Amino acid sequence: MKNLLNYLIILTAITSFSCSIRAQNKTNIILLFADDAGYHDFGFQGSKTFSTPHLDKLASEGIVFNQAYTTAAVCGPSRAGLLSGKYQQRFGMEENNVPGYMSESSKLMGDEMGLPLHIKTIADYLKPLGYRSVVLGKWHMGNADRYHPLNRGFDEFYGFRGGARSFYALTQKEASDKPEDRWQKGIGKYEEPKQYLTDEIAEEACDFIDRNKDQAFFMYVSFNAVHSPLQAEKADLDKVEGLTGKRKTLAAMTIAMDRACGTILNKLKEHGLDENTLVVFSNDNGGPEGTLTSNYPLSGCKSNHLEGGIRVPCVMKLPGVIEGGKMYRKAVSILDMLPTFVNVAGGNATKIKGLDGVDLLPYITKEDASSPHEILFWKKENRGVVLQGDWKMMRYPDRPAVLYNLEKDITESNNLAYKYPEKVQAMYKLLWSWEGELERPLWQLKRVYEVNALRRMDDKRTPLLDK
C-alpha cells in the first residue's frame, strides 16, 4: 500500500511537470487594445507631438499594418467583430449596446443588449487548448450577468461592463446612476481603483502574468484610454510640450497608455516570456472629432465610414516567426485576430464554421503571397461600404454613392463614381449579396416588439417595451 501511494505521488508529480512543460511551450497571447485613439497619434505612425516610446519599440520589433481595419466605426460592434471573428452584422449586433438606447421608459433595455449568447468568443476557443484568459478594462459587450466575461469563456475579469467611465474612482452618485461603470473583479465584487485607471489596468495585468507565468494565457487588455472623459495625471501633463487644451490632455493620456503597455511588456521580459508571446496592439475605431485626435492623412473620424473612422494602427510581434521592423501594406481586418490566435495556440481555425477572419501569419511571413481579403464590408443601417482591392464604394441613404481609389487617393477627396458607373454597379451587387446573408439588427424598434412578443409566448415575463 505504501509503495502504491509513493508511486501515485511520483506519477502525479511527473504529470504535473509534464503539463507545466507543455504550458510553457505554448505561445502566450496578449492583445493591447486602445479606445478611440487617432490613427496618427503614435510615434510609429508618424506623430512628432505624441510620445509613445514603448509602443514605438514594439513596432520596431514587430510588423506594422498600414491598412488594418475594424469592422465598425464605433466601439461596441467593433469589439463584437474582434471577439467573434465574424462580421457582427451576421448576428444582428449593428449598434452600440447603450443602456436605454431604445426606450427611456425601460432601464431594462440596456440589460437586453449584448453579444448574443450563442456567439463564441476568442476565449471560448482558447480554453480547450489549455489557455487561461482574462479581460482587463472595458467590456461593453452587455451589462447583464449572462453577458459577463466570466460567462463568455474568460476565467478572470478586472474592469467595468460599460462603454466609458471616469479614470478616477466613481462617486456614490456616479456609481448609482451608471452601475455598469463600477469597477469590478470577477462577478459581484466592486471596489473602485485607488490610482489612475490606466495604471491600475497595467498593475492588474502584471499580477495576472505573475500568477500565470507557468500557464499558457490570453490577455485582452482593453484600455478605456484614450476615450472620453479627457482626464490625465498632472505628471503626464507636465511631460507634454507644444500642445494646449484638449490635445495636450489627450497626449498625456496617451503617455499613460504607452507607459502601461511598457509595464506589461517589461513584466513579460522579467519572467522570460517575451520570446514566447504573441503581442498585438491596435484600436477599436478611428479617432473622434478631427480637431481632437489626428487621423492624418485619412479623412473622416469615429462614427463614419471614411478611412479615418475604420482604419486603425496595428502592430503584431512574435519573435522567431515575424520579422521585425517591417510594414505590411495589404488590407487586414480585426476579424483576423481570432483565427490567428487560435492557430498560434495550436488549434485549427479552418474547422470553425462561419469565420470571416483569416490567420494572418501565412501572409505576413510570405508563405502565402496573395491578399488576406479580396473584399471587405461595412454596414450600419442603410449605410454600406465595399472595399475591393484598391476600390472603395460607399452607399448612403440620402445621396448618391461615392467611389474612391485608395491607392491613388488615400484622403478620399476625388469621387470617381461618375467616371466609373459600371464599377459602382458591380460593387453595389457585391454589397447586396453580402447583406442577404445577414441577421436583422437586434436593436431596432420593430425588432424589439418582435422580441417582446416572443418573450410573452415563451415564459410570460414582463415585456421590455409595452408601448
Side-chain angles (χ1 to χ4, degrees), residues 39-233:
Y39 184 76
H40 189 255
D41 286 339
F42 300 90
F44 69 89
Q45 291 288 94
S47 178
K48 302 300 182 184
T49 53
F50 278 46
S51 176
T52 56
H54 299 290
L55 289 172
D56 296 349
K57 183 173 186 293
L58 177 68
S60 71
E61 296 171 343
I63 194 165
V64 177
F65 299 90
N66 86 322
Q67 198 176 359
Y69 290 102
T70 61
T71 59
V74 291
C75 310
S78 166
R79 291 162 190 266
L82 162 72
L83 288 169
S84 67
K86 302 177 181 180
Y87 285 114
Q88 64 277 2
Q89 295 92 344
R90 292 197 186 280
F91 43 87
M93 197 164 174
E94 202 166 292
E95 304 280 358
N96 268 333
N97 54 318
V98 180
Y101 176 80
M102 295 303 302
S103 169
E104 294 181 0
S105 66
S106 175
K107 287 188 176 180
L108 289 176
M109 177 54 66
D111 287 341
E112 294 304 314
M113 304 177 75
L115 183 66
L117 300 181
H118 69 283
I119 299 298
K120 289 187 176 182
T121 69
I122 293 173
D124 285 317
Y125 292 112
L126 292 182
K127 187 182 288 290
L129 299 174
Y131 279 70
R132 187 166 183 82
S133 300
V134 62
V135 178
L136 297 142
K138 173 175 172 173
W139 178 234
H140 208 200
M141 290 291 97
N143 300 334
D145 283 353
R146 62 185 173 279
Y147 298 124
H148 191 282
L150 299 196
N151 292 321
R152 308 311 301 270
F154 289 90
D155 300 290
E156 297 187 30
F157 174 59
Y158 192 73
F160 64 103
R161 304 190 198 192
R165 58 152 285 159
S166 172
F167 286 79
Y168 297 99
L170 299 182
T171 65
Q172 283 189 331
K173 185 179 186 309
E174 288 171 334
S176 176
D177 289 345
K178 296 188 69 177
E180 69 273 12
D181 289 350
R182 292 177 294 171
W183 201 244
Q184 184 179 29
K185 194 165 189 176
I187 296 182
K189 184 179 179 182
Y190 296 98
E191 183 178 340
E192 285 301 301
K194 296 178 175 59
Q195 59 182 324
Y196 187 70
L197 199 57
T198 305
D199 294 323
E200 185 88 4
I201 290 172
E203 185 175 296
E204 191 66 23
C206 289
D207 177 68
F208 180 84
I209 295 172
D210 285 337
R211 291 184 285 106
N212 293 279
K213 61 182 183 295
D214 297 321
Q215 158 75 46
F217 61 79
F218 166 53
M219 292 178 57
Y220 174 31
V221 186
S222 180
F223 294 109
N224 59 319
V226 292
H227 195 292
S228 61
L230 295 180
Q231 297 170 330
E233 293 279 81

Side-chain angles (χ1 to χ4, degrees), residues 162-447:
R165 58 152 285 159
S166 172
F167 286 79
Y168 297 99
L170 299 182
T171 65
Q172 283 189 331
K173 185 179 186 309
E174 288 171 334
S176 176
D177 289 345
K178 296 188 69 177
E180 69 273 12
D181 289 350
R182 292 177 294 171
W183 201 244
Q184 184 179 29
K185 194 165 189 176
I187 296 182
K189 184 179 179 182
Y190 296 98
E191 183 178 340
E192 285 301 301
K194 296 178 175 59
Q195 59 182 324
Y196 187 70
L197 199 57
T198 305
D199 294 323
E200 185 88 4
I201 290 172
E203 185 175 296
E204 191 66 23
C206 289
D207 177 68
F208 180 84
I209 295 172
D210 285 337
R211 291 184 285 106
N212 293 279
K213 61 182 183 295
D214 297 321
Q215 158 75 46
F217 61 79
F218 166 53
M219 292 178 57
Y220 174 31
V221 186
S222 180
F223 294 109
N224 59 319
V226 292
H227 195 292
S228 61
L230 295 180
Q231 297 170 330
E233 293 279 81
K234 183 179 183 305
D236 292 329
L237 286 166
D238 291 341
K239 296 173 186 175
V240 179
E241 298 179 356
L243 296 173
T244 59
K246 291 182 178 180
R247 281 287 284 170
K248 180 173 183 175
T249 304
L250 191 72
M253 295 170 73
T254 304
I255 286 173
M257 182 174 65
D258 179 76
R259 178 176 62 246
C261 292
T263 299
I264 295 168
L265 296 176
N266 287 336
K267 178 59 70 172
L268 281 180
K269 185 170 293 188
E270 176 186 319
H271 289 299
L273 300 174
D274 53 317
E275 294 297 311
N276 192 38
T277 300
L278 171 65
V279 179
V280 176
F281 172 80
S282 194
N283 187 37
D284 61 350
N285 48 251
E289 302 175 44
T291 58
L292 173 61
T293 58
S294 174
N295 293 321
Y296 176 83
L298 312 176
S299 294
C301 58
K302 176 182 178 178
S303 299
N304 66 50
H305 289 131
L306 291 167
E307 292 292 283
I310 56 177
R311 191 187 287 210
V312 293
C314 189
V315 175
M316 182 177 287
K317 175 189 174 184
L318 182 56
V321 177
I322 298 175
E323 186 179 357
K326 300 293 183 180
M327 180 171 286
Y328 189 77
R329 298 185 179 278
K330 295 178 181 178
V332 303
S333 172
I334 292 298
L335 296 169
D336 302 329
M337 295 302 122
L338 188 149
T340 302
F341 293 174
V342 168
N343 285 356
V344 162
N348 186 349
T350 61
K351 293 185 177 181
I352 302 174
K353 293 183 179 180
L355 289 185
D356 293 300
V358 299
D359 179 4
L360 290 176
L361 290 183
Y363 298 95
I364 60 182
T365 58
K366 300 180 181 178
E367 292 178 22
D368 190 331
S370 64
S371 299
H373 299 278
E374 294 299 330
I375 302 175
L376 289 170
F377 298 99
W378 291 264
K379 177 185 178 295
K380 184 178 180 183
E381 299 173 341
N382 292 327
R383 290 176 287 170
V385 180
V386 181
L387 178 68
Q388 184 180 34
D390 297 324
W391 292 95
K392 180 179 177 182
M393 188 274 288
M394 302 175 66
R395 180 193 69 196
Y396 297 98
D398 56 349
R399 57 190 185 276
V402 295
L403 180 70
Y404 301 111
N405 186 300
L406 296 182
E407 182 183 19
K408 300 176 181 178
D409 179 26
I410 195 173
T411 62
E412 295 171 291
S413 56
N414 185 19
N415 178 15
L416 301 174
Y418 297 103
K419 188 175 182 180
Y420 299 101
E422 299 85 1
K423 186 69 176 175
V424 173
Q425 184 180 47
M427 296 182 81
Y428 249 106
K429 289 180 179 179
L430 290 173
L431 182 59
W432 286 333
S433 177
W434 176 70
E435 287 177 320
E437 304 171 2
L438 307 179
E439 176 61 82
R440 292 174 61 188
L442 291 172
W443 318 135
Q444 289 181 344
L445 189 59
K446 183 179 178 182
R447 181 65 166 155

